[in-house]
Amino acid sequence: MAADKSVRRVALLTAGGLAPCLSSAVGGLIERYTEVAPDVEIIGYLNGYHGLLSGRHIEVTPEVRAKAGLLHKFGGSPIGNSRVKLTNTADLVKRGLIADGQNALQVAAERLVADGVDVLHTIGGDDTNTTAADLAAYLHEHDYDLTVVGLPKTIDNDVVPIRQSLGAWTAAEQGALFARNIIAEHSSNPRMLVVHEVMGRNCGWLTAATALAYREWVKQQEWNPGVGLDAGGWDAHAVYVPEATIDLDAEAERLKAVMDENDCVNIFLSEGAGVPAIVAELEARGEEVGRDPFGHVKLDTINPGAWFAKQFAERIGAEKTMVQKSGYFSRSAAANDRDLALIKECTDYAVDAALRGESGVVGHDEERGDELRAIEFPRIAGGKEFDPGVDWFVALKSEIGQP
């Protein structure tokens, strides 16, 4: 495929939280351009929109292109991330990224023009990609043609209307690996309550998928109950997601019986489960609930896992409680084989779309028969809910005796 003559320079940008796809996606984009349009220059803005505003970028040299395949082996992002919202002027001024009175979209747009960027590839969640769309619109209004092609990065798997976001499968697999060691702690004390808090904000997909992957591991093991190595103590006993109502009293009664039988209770909890109730309780006490530049509640400051542990501990007769969070472990991993295949499919398409001058976010469009395409920016949104009624999740809960 030959590049359109108008495409001379492309820029890559990764933003938001980490996910097990960023490094590989950067590598995949570099490899695809090298394959089909080797004369196109590539730069990478450092730390996402932070670098775009401050004018910090790196050049992708021939040496970097030659070793781009190495990026598939690592987690994190080689060009760095940040949480910067271009429309949150007060936050940007406070952080010194723009001067008081400046328009961040204008600053970013002028930087893209000055750098001669024809195509901007954004790898991030809905906020990252819709911000990029705002940039493209601003530039179009000022007679500068910028093609923006995004890739959906979120371990939450909650981008509308994308079937599967990059890195989410790996995050579930890594969360299950994390759980193997954390749930071993059930043997550290009599009547032990272990809460495994999983990332995902308001979407329960990652928690459910992590529990499913963990239980598949449990089923594959050979046990020796005569000496105490029993599947019952290693199993997941409850899985709580934001999309399903949790009857604390009924669950406490059920889990007390589990505790009596197994001398432990192991809970997989989505960090977004019960958040409205927790926030309401904190604010009723006059406590201020922290929020990030995007207005999201800072979940690490309200500790949903600790809150749920407190609700259950006394009622189920727990002698010791442990809360552990797998989020940072899971999201910083290198992509697994399943995600690598999806990343390649999407990065190849993203480059081809960019060379056609076609903007959008690349993914399998659930509202268009799961077709892989550059989905129109106005249709991209966060907050896609997990369906707790899907067959595999209903079966999982049935197997562990959870209504």
Side-chain angles (χ1 to χ4, degrees), residues 211-221 399:
L212 179 69
Y214 175 74
R215 293 205 75 249
E216 288 301 314
W217 175 80
V218 170
K219 292 176 184 177
Q220 292 167 8
Q221 305 314 302
E399 289 175 7

Side-chain angles (χ1 to χ4, degrees), residues 11 33 40 64 113 121 130 139 142 158 192 199 241 249 290 304 317 335 340 348 366:
Y33 274 110
V40 171
V64 171
V113 173
H121 284 287
T130 53
L139 285 165
H142 292 78
D158 67 343
M192 184 76 177
M199 275 187 175
V241 297
D249 292 330
L340 285 173
D348 282 0
E366 290 184 307

Side-chain angles (χ1 to χ4, degrees), residues 240 245-258 307-308 310-317 403:
Y240 299 133
T245 302
I246 305 168
D247 185 333
L248 290 174
D249 292 330
E251 278 297 275
E253 184 177 348
R254 181 180 74 85
L255 293 177
K256 185 176 185 306
V258 171
W307 188 86
F308 271 91
K310 181 180 178 182
Q311 307 309 307
F312 282 126
E314 185 174 346
R315 287 193 261 186
I316 67 175

Side-chain angles (χ1 to χ4, degrees), residues 293-343:
F294 294 91
H296 305 315
V297 171
K298 291 184 176 179
L299 294 172
D300 57 341
T301 65
I302 66 172
N303 285 319
W307 188 86
F308 271 91
K310 181 180 178 182
Q311 307 309 307
F312 282 126
E314 185 174 346
R315 287 193 261 186
I316 67 175
E319 186 175 302
K320 183 180 177 182
T321 299
M322 171 178 284
V323 179
Q324 291 290 324
K325 304 178 183 183
S326 61
Y328 295 113
F329 178 89
S330 299
R331 76 179 198 172
S332 57
N336 65 14
D337 288 343
R338 193 178 186 188
D339 264 318
L340 285 173
L342 178 62
I343 292 165

Side-chain angles (χ1 to χ4, degrees), residues 26-48:
V26 170
L29 290 170
I30 294 172
E31 287 178 317
R32 183 62 172 174
Y33 274 110
T34 301
E35 176 187 357
V36 302
D39 293 334
V40 171
E41 296 179 4
I42 307 173
I43 66 172
Y45 285 109
L46 298 175
N47 302 112

Side-chain angles (χ1 to χ4, degrees), residues 2 31 100 159-160 167 174 183 197 243 251 257 352 354 378 391:
E31 287 178 317
D100 195 12
V159 179
V160 176
Q174 291 292 315
I183 289 180
E197 185 179 319
E243 297 85 354
E251 278 297 275
D352 296 347
D391 291 345

Side-chain angles (χ1 to χ4, degrees), residues 12-352:
L12 314 180
L13 178 155
T14 60
L18 296 182
C21 66
L22 294 169
S23 185
S24 181
V26 170
L29 290 170
I30 294 172
E31 287 178 317
R32 183 62 172 174
Y33 274 110
T34 301
E35 176 187 357
V36 302
D39 293 334
V40 171
E41 296 179 4
I42 307 173
I43 66 172
Y45 285 109
L46 298 175
N47 302 112
Y49 290 115
H50 195 291
L52 178 56
L53 290 174
S54 57
R56 296 177 301 113
H57 72 262
I58 59 165
E59 304 281 343
V60 176
T61 64
E63 292 76 18
V64 171
R65 288 178 187 256
K67 293 185 176 182
L70 295 175
L71 299 181
H72 298 301
K73 300 180 179 181
F74 291 85
S77 170
I79 54 178
N81 280 32
S82 65
R83 291 191 182 276
V84 171
K85 186 175 180 64
L86 296 188
T87 54
N88 190 338
T89 302
D91 179 65
L92 297 176
V93 171
K94 180 180 178 181
R95 294 164 75 172
L97 292 173
I98 62 173
D100 195 12
Q102 282 189 309
N103 178 337
L105 280 174
Q106 181 180 354
V107 173
E110 289 176 352
R111 172 57 56 187
L112 290 165
V113 173
D115 290 340
V117 174
D118 303 302
V119 174
L120 176 63
H121 284 287
T122 54
I123 310 165
D126 59 293
D127 287 322
T128 297
N129 287 309
T130 53
T131 296
D134 290 340
L135 263 177
Y138 180 91
L139 285 165
H140 182 72
E141 291 170 4
H142 292 78
D143 300 319
Y144 185 88
D145 187 23
L146 176 72
T147 299
V148 180
V149 184
L151 289 166
K153 169 243 51 160
T154 168
I155 62 175
D156 306 348
N157 198 27
D158 67 343
V159 179
V160 176
I162 293 171
R163 183 187 68 195
Q164 187 71 28
S165 55
L166 309 184
W169 282 323
T170 303
E173 177 183 88
Q174 291 292 315
L177 175 61
F178 180 92
R180 294 186 203 176
N181 288 2
I182 293 308
I183 289 180
E185 287 286 340
H186 77 270
S187 61
S188 67
N189 202 82
R191 299 190 71 83
M192 184 76 177
L193 170 60
V194 177
V195 178
H196 174 195
E197 185 179 319
V198 182
M199 275 187 175
R201 194 165 288 280
N202 298 322
C203 180
W205 181 89
L206 182 60
T207 301
T210 299
L212 179 69
Y214 175 74
R215 293 205 75 249
E216 288 301 314
W217 175 80
V218 170
K219 292 176 184 177
Q220 292 167 8
Q221 305 314 302
E222 184 175 359
W223 303 98
N224 189 354
V227 73
L229 185 63
D230 191 283
W234 284 84
D235 209 345
H237 303 126
V239 184
Y240 299 133
V241 297
E243 297 85 354
T245 302
I246 305 168
D247 185 333
L248 290 174
D249 292 330
E251 278 297 275
E253 184 177 348
R254 181 180 74 85
L255 293 177
K256 185 176 185 306
V258 171
M259 178 70 84
D260 292 343
E261 179 181 355
N262 296 294
D263 204 35
C264 66
V265 165
N266 305 315
I267 296 174
F268 282 65
L269 171 74
S270 171
E271 64 178 1
V275 164
I278 300 170
V279 170
E281 180 180 303
L282 292 173
E283 292 181 337
R285 295 204 302 259
E287 297 182 27
E288 183 177 349
V289 176
R291 286 177 167 80
D292 67 18
F294 294 91
H296 305 315
V297 171
K298 291 184 176 179
L299 294 172
D300 57 341
T301 65
I302 66 172
N303 285 319
W307 188 86
F308 271 91
K310 181 180 178 182
Q311 307 309 307
F312 282 126
E314 185 174 346
R315 287 193 261 186
I316 67 175
E319 186 175 302
K320 183 180 177 182
T321 299
M322 171 178 284
V323 179
Q324 291 290 324
K325 304 178 183 183
S326 61
Y328 295 113
F329 178 89
S330 299
R331 76 179 198 172
S332 57
N336 65 14
D337 288 343
R338 193 178 186 188
D339 264 318
L340 285 173
L342 178 62
I343 292 165
K344 177 169 176 50
E345 185 179 13
C346 291
T347 52
D348 282 0
Y349 191 98
V351 171
D352 296 347

